[in-house]
Amino acid sequence: MTVDSRTPVAAVDAEPGRRAPAPRRPGKPRGVTIAGVALRTPYWVFTGAVAVIFLFPLLWTAVASVSPQAGTNQVDGWGFGNYTTLADYQAGIWRYLANSAFVSLLTVALTLLISFLGGYAFARFRFPGRNLLFLVTLAILMVPYATLLIPLYVLLNEVGLQNSLVGVALVLSMFQLPFSTFLMRISFEAVPRELDEAAMVDGCSSFGALWRVLVPAVKPGLITVGLFAFLAAWNDFMAPLILINDSERMTLPLAVSNLRGQVQGVVDYGATEAGVVVLALPCVVLFLLLQRHYVRGFMSGALKG
């Protein structure tokens, strides 16, 4: 078949007797219409308003932490006088940051390890009383957090872990485990059994199939569990308040709370706002970095349910 160089390509590709499709006009994106924009505008306005409502307190706190305030180290002009007050408080902000980081990372490690193994066992093994044991684990969520702190204080005192950062991490891990185990169970159940069975047919052991096949498959769930555990431990105030007596072992939330009324009961709002900013920064950065995995971790459980 001979094609004239002047013949449009669309006309050559079209079947005989059928009109060739009209070329799309340049400059007009496909699928964008006035009606579609009008229908989406309320959604954009609503989500934008919600974003402003949630972001405004953070922005206001960040601005107030560097603005001049009476009765603080930042009286004249804009600057970081409030952060200087925070940095020089008692043992110093770096000590309290290190305490909070230690408690948070230990809580994350314990929560990930125990919930990973527990979720794997509940999802892949059949044993008598499995569902009853799982319900008992979830029942911890129904117990108010504060009611268990005094018995735990007595228990930790008996084993020598009261007034210890390790004891605080153990308590926080205990309260994270029910939800974390639930999330890991549904993450494992969302993975077909044929994957680990095929790995074992190819020569992998049970541990090899778990490490090489299942761990990558449930990585979004692991990241979600770790993020939740970190945020809960980093921001927790009640457990360090009850369990910690030594000022040098305080976590950052407890130190900021003590700092706000250090001078004759007068609240130092500037230093408090600086402490809130320092507390919020790691949480915001981690959430933004892990947001994609965080959403996938929840979606896997939603699709399974």
Side-chain angles (χ1 to χ4, degrees):
M1 178 178 178
T2 304
V3 179
D4 189 357
S5 60
R6 294 171 296 176
T7 304
V9 176
V12 175
D13 294 339
E15 296 180 3
R18 179 178 297 179
R19 179 179 299 178
R24 186 163 56 94
R25 287 181 293 178
K28 184 178 180 181
R30 180 176 297 177
V32 178
T33 61
I34 297 177
V37 173
L39 291 175
R40 294 176 183 176
T41 299
Y43 169 77
W44 293 334
V45 172
F46 175 75
T47 54
V50 172
V52 170
I53 291 173
F54 278 93
L55 291 176
F56 176 76
L58 293 177
L59 295 176
W60 181 86
T61 302
V63 172
S65 67
V66 295
S67 62
Q69 299 185 39
T72 67
N73 278 346
Q74 191 62 44
V75 179
D76 299 323
W78 298 71
F80 296 95
N82 295 320
Y83 290 91
T84 302
T85 302
L86 178 66
D88 296 336
Y89 177 66
Q90 290 188 1
I93 187 175
W94 297 111
R95 182 60 179 267
Y96 301 132
L97 280 172
N99 292 342
S100 291
F102 176 80
V103 170
S104 301
L105 294 178
L106 184 56
T107 301
V108 170
L110 292 174
T111 303
L112 284 176
L113 177 62
I114 299 174
S115 64
F116 175 78
L117 296 177
Y120 176 70
F122 282 121
R124 285 297 193 260
F125 296 103
R126 300 289 186 268
F127 52 88
R130 183 187 67 153
N131 293 329
L132 178 61
L133 180 60
F134 186 67
L135 289 177
V136 171
T137 303
L138 293 182
I140 302 177
L141 293 172
M142 296 184 292
V143 180
Y145 174 51
T147 59
L148 294 179
L149 285 179
I150 300 302
L152 288 173
Y153 176 89
V154 176
L155 177 62
L156 292 175
N157 189 40
E158 292 294 330
V159 297
L161 289 177
Q162 188 270 328
N163 195 29
S164 167
L165 296 178
V166 175
V168 175
L170 289 174
V171 171
L172 295 175
S173 301
M174 184 194 72
F175 285 103
Q176 289 298 310
L177 283 177
F179 173 76
S180 300
T181 304
F182 168 77
L183 187 59
M184 290 311 304
R185 177 181 180 175
I186 61 177
S187 296
F188 277 112
E189 288 179 344
V191 180
R193 289 178 176 271
E194 289 77 10
L195 289 180
D196 41 326
E197 291 174 355
M200 286 187 285
V201 169
D202 290 338
C204 282
S205 62
S206 298
F207 179 78
L210 174 64
W211 180 254
R212 297 181 180 181
V213 178
L214 292 180
V215 169
V218 300
K219 184 174 69 172
L222 287 171
I223 293 176
T224 303
V225 167
L227 183 60
F228 262 84
F230 179 85
L231 295 179
W234 181 264
N235 296 303
D236 190 81
F237 173 77
M238 187 66 69
L241 176 66
I242 300 298
L243 300 176
I244 298 297
N245 300 327
D246 189 353
S247 61
E248 292 191 356
R249 297 181 181 179
M250 293 190 302
T251 57
L252 188 57
L254 188 56
V256 171
S257 175
N258 292 339
L259 169 65
R260 65 189 297 269
Q262 63 172 333
V263 183
Q264 298 179 354
V266 178
V267 177
D268 190 342
Y269 289 104
T272 302
E273 288 154 356
V276 171
V277 172
V278 174
L279 276 169
L281 276 178
C283 302
V284 173
V285 171
L286 274 179
F287 182 81
L288 292 178
L289 291 177
L290 303 176
Q291 181 182 10
R292 177 169 58 91
H293 302 284
Y294 168 79
V295 173
R296 287 179 57 192
F298 271 114
M299 286 301 296
S300 63
L303 293 175
K304 178 64 180 177

